[in-house]
Amino acid sequence: MPIFLYNTLVKTNQEFKPLHDGKVLMYNCGPTVYSHPHIGNFRSFLFADTLRRCLEFKGFAVTQIMNITDVGHLLEDQDEGEDKMEMAARREKKDPRQIAQFYTDEFMEITGLLNCLPASKYPRATEHINEMIELIQKLIGRGYAYVVNNAVYYDITKFPGYGKLSGNPLDQLQAGARIEVHPDKKNPMDFALWKHDPKHAMQWDSPWGKGFPGWHIECSAMSAKYLGETFDIHTGGEDNIFPHHECEIAQSEGASGKKFVNYWMHVRHLLVDNEKMSKSKGNFYTIKDILNKGFSPMALRYLLTSTHYRQPLNFTLESLGAAQTAVQRLLDFRARLQEQALPAPDGQPGAETISCVIDNAITKFENAMDDDLNISEALAAVFDFMREANKLSLDKTGSARLLATFDRFNVVMGLKIEEKGLLDSEIEGLIRQRNEARKNKDFAAADKIRNDLKSKGIVIEDTPQGMRWKKI
RNA sequence: GGCGGUGUAGCCAAGCGGUAAGGCAACGGUUUGCAAAACCGUGUAUCUCCGGUUCGAAUCCGGACGCCGCCUCCA
């Protein structure tokens, strides 16, 4: 069955058809590494991961490129504002490169904690300055850009398609509404490809003198290098639609004369307690904030991915708690299947019954994901599947089949499966003592040991098939 | 001013013309030595409000109200 994806470019669902059979070329706008990533950032990155997983579930081989923005980006106007890297560097009394490295490391760590599959490559902007310069030269050569005072600007009037992604009619944009229009620009909406500012800490040599790249050029340069001039999918947060992605299109299509991206996908910003997340409102959470409160990374992953990516997910600590419980149920279910700890092989269902449960679930799950990643409906299929499975008495083969099915769903859900590991001898000894006590009907002693074990993070469950334990 | 989204039970959230999925929480029950897990059952949801279209609307149209996004560097 084909998968349908919502394409911002045409504002509707389209059947996904890759450029090359069975392969997907995808670029995700990644982090700007100047501060701790927050839950909103990771809604976007987790969407990219889920999309990639979903495409792999569908059988595609995905090449995934996620950029690391480690340069530039002024907070205000180009010659006056503060650079994020520099500001962070001053705040933390470090070199801008150290800042970038520190937050890149943190980003990679969190990516792992949240069980994101590693992208094929994480190219850094600062390692592709030459590619950017070449691209800018190409744009100048083709008449799309002009040089003024050691800087280069893109001449927006040369690219009639400007505005096609965002739907912003050029003549309606309020140029200068938020920032002053730079006097060197021919048109108010022209944007910088290469900037000149002697005060800037990070400088590179260029044909136009020392300077640094504009914000948008890195994605055009790096996507072309790793994916080609035309590729399948480009993702980002909804705020990237304009101006960032609009400018990328102008740059890439201006330089290549070819279509840049076939499918543009954008993630809606999340809300916290039904309001925009902001530091001043006190509802601003970094990923580390959440984990430090004791929530599991998988609970966070589940919550951030379980709402459709184009809906305004409302993040609350209460719903994060609910997510944690739901994840626990999913993982417990899988563990029981793996241990074949479901009810006794007594009146086992036929293979046909099991097939029916599996086929229903897979059909419902896949149909949901095919519909522009309707994850909520897909998860409903998983929970229905789990309930049906829990009712069955299973033998080894049945358990294995259900386990394989769960793991197929988990290709998309991305829950980290921890190996149970072994118990240390002290714990094993306690468990033996408890079993002995129970055998002797000394329930007081048995319950005391059970409580002791719980305080050590080991939960004991007595089932008709015997005792089982799990770590919490 | 221009462009756009959204409002569904205590909380989160699907459904987008045929009469309300799923998760969490809560309350009963089965099971258990007691638990846990699991299973079964329980939710009168004025689908923000007011009009309209339709045999029929949470779903389409108009209006009101709330919340939110973009309009040059915020995912």
Side-chain angles (χ1 to χ4, degrees):
Chain A
M1 289 291 288
I3 182 168
F4 285 78
L5 301 175
Y6 182 90
N7 186 352
T8 308
L9 199 56
V10 293
K11 294 177 178 53
T12 182
N13 283 180
Q14 285 182 317
E15 182 180 339
F16 175 68
K17 291 180 182 160
L19 287 165
H20 309 287
D21 271 353
K23 291 182 184 166
V24 179
L25 301 173
M26 175 165 81
Y27 187 92
N28 309 308
C29 272
T32 302
V33 283
Y34 70 106
S35 68
H36 302 288
H38 57 69
I39 55 177
N41 296 322
F42 263 88
R43 182 185 196 191
S44 173
F45 306 142
L46 281 166
F47 163 70
D49 185 60
T50 301
L51 175 60
R52 181 246 178 102
R53 288 169 168 277
C54 188
L55 291 166
E56 291 185 342
F57 175 86
K58 298 293 290 180
F60 291 104
V62 181
T63 303
Q64 182 192 196
I65 304 297
M66 181 178 280
N67 65 297
I68 304 281
T69 298
D70 57 354
V71 61
H73 305 356
L74 304 177
L75 291 171
E76 303 293 337
D77 198 2
Q78 19 220 338
D79 282 341
E80 292 154 37
E82 283 212 273
D83 178 284
K84 287 175 188 167
M85 293 301 155
E86 291 186 19
M87 200 176 66
R90 199 161 52 247
R91 185 183 67 222
E92 301 182 23
K93 298 186 170 51
K94 286 180 186 161
D95 182 72
R97 284 164 212 271
Q98 289 178 303
I99 294 294
Q101 190 57 52
F102 177 84
Y103 288 112
T104 300
D105 291 346
E106 188 187 12
F107 169 77
M108 296 309 296
E109 181 200 347
I110 292 170
T111 292
L113 285 173
L114 295 184
N115 208 29
C116 295
L117 297 171
S120 314
K121 188 162 180 69
Y122 295 94
R124 297 170 193 234
T126 52
E127 290 170 4
H128 296 80
I129 301 292
N130 287 339
E131 285 85 346
M132 295 187 224
I133 289 173
E134 282 168 26
L135 188 62
I136 294 168
Q137 284 178 310
K138 204 166 174 181
L139 284 167
I140 295 171
R142 292 182 62 127
Y144 286 99
Y146 56 94
V147 182
V148 189
N149 291 332
N150 303 306
V152 186
Y153 294 96
Y154 192 105
D155 183 347
I156 216 62
T157 60
K158 299 283 164 53
F159 189 77
Y162 195 79
K164 67 182 174 184
L165 181 69
S166 60
N168 282 335
L170 207 46
D171 54 0
Q172 289 290 349
L173 287 172
Q174 289 193 344
R178 273 173 42 167
I179 61 152
E180 296 277 312
V181 174
H182 193 100
D184 285 349
K185 288 181 179 178
K186 283 189 191 169
N187 315 290
M189 299 312 298
D190 288 352
F191 57 93
L193 297 172
W194 188 261
K195 302 182 188 185
H196 172 71
D197 176 5
K199 295 196 297 287
H200 198 94
M202 301 172 93
Q203 302 272 347
W204 289 268
D205 286 320
S206 83
W208 317 286
K210 276 194 180 293
F212 57 100
W215 174 37
H216 315 295
I217 197 72
E218 62 172 277
C219 288
S220 286
M222 297 194 292
S223 64
K225 176 168 180 177
Y226 297 106
L227 297 173
E229 289 175 326
T230 302
F231 56 95
D232 295 302
I233 300 175
H234 193 131
T235 73
E238 60 174 340
D239 56 306
N240 282 151
I241 296 172
F242 191 94
H244 186 50
H245 290 162
E246 201 76 77
C247 294
E248 279 185 46
I249 293 173
Q251 292 166 341
S252 295
E253 299 194 352
S256 73
K258 296 174 190 160
K259 189 173 187 191
F260 178 41
V261 169
N262 284 138
Y263 302 87
W264 287 94
M265 300 182 74
H266 294 97
V267 184
R268 190 77 156 83
H269 281 187
L270 58 70
L271 301 175
V272 176
D273 299 329
N274 264 315
E275 286 192 287
K276 184 182 175 176
M277 181 168 73
S278 75
K279 286 184 177 164
S280 58
K281 282 179 184 155
N283 63 353
F284 186 93
Y285 298 116
T286 66
I287 303 295
K288 288 288 175 82
D289 287 340
I290 296 298
L291 299 183
N292 289 341
K293 285 179 191 293
F295 292 102
S296 76
M298 286 307 101
L300 184 57
R301 178 183 178 104
Y302 182 90
L303 182 60
L304 291 177
T305 53
S306 61
T307 295
H308 186 88
Y309 72 96
R310 284 191 289 114
Q311 290 298 121
L313 180 160
N314 183 24
F315 184 98
T316 64
L317 290 179
E318 189 185 351
S319 57
L320 184 57
Q324 180 130 319
T325 310
V327 167
Q328 188 62 244
R329 230 185 111 199
L330 288 161
L331 293 177
D332 276 359
F333 171 71
R334 187 186 182 282
R336 268 181 277 122
L337 282 178
Q338 196 168 31
E339 296 167 31
Q340 292 155 37
L342 267 66
D346 176 23
Q348 292 158 19
E352 277 181 35
T353 308
I354 295 177
S355 296
C356 189
V357 169
I358 290 175
D359 291 348
N360 278 344
I362 288 183
T363 302
K364 209 178 150 197
F365 183 89
E366 186 163 357
N367 284 344
M369 293 308 286
D370 283 349
D371 179 18
D372 191 36
L373 276 58
N374 189 337
I375 186 81
S376 302
E377 210 162 276
L379 288 172
V382 175
F383 280 97
D384 286 343
F385 165 73
M386 198 156 65
R387 198 176 327 102
E388 290 301 314
N390 274 327
K391 281 190 242 182
L392 302 174
S393 305
L394 296 165
D395 60 7
K396 200 170 174 176
T397 314
S399 292
R401 291 181 66 198
L402 293 174
L403 179 62
T405 305
F406 183 90
D407 284 345
R408 269 195 80 189
F409 296 143
N410 198 225
V411 166
V412 179
M413 294 190 292
L415 299 177
K416 191 178 278 178
I417 307 300
E418 307 275 8
E419 283 306 313
K420 220 172 150 182
L422 295 172
L423 292 171
D424 61 48
S425 53
E426 185 205 342
I427 303 277
E428 280 199 331
L430 285 170
I431 288 177
R432 262 198 305 277
Q433 281 178 38
R434 179 170 178 275
N435 288 342
E436 199 59 34
R438 285 191 77 221
K439 208 182 280 174
N440 299 328
K441 309 269 185 213
D442 185 358
F443 295 118
D447 290 352
K448 183 182 180 309
I449 296 172
R450 185 168 62 192
N451 278 334
D452 290 349
L453 286 167
K454 193 172 181 183
S455 66
K456 294 177 195 295
I458 303 293
V459 172
I460 298 296
E461 297 175 1
D462 298 312
T463 76
Q465 291 76 48
M467 188 278 310
R468 65 184 295 268
W469 60 270
K470 66 183 180 191
K471 288 182 180 167
I472 50 164

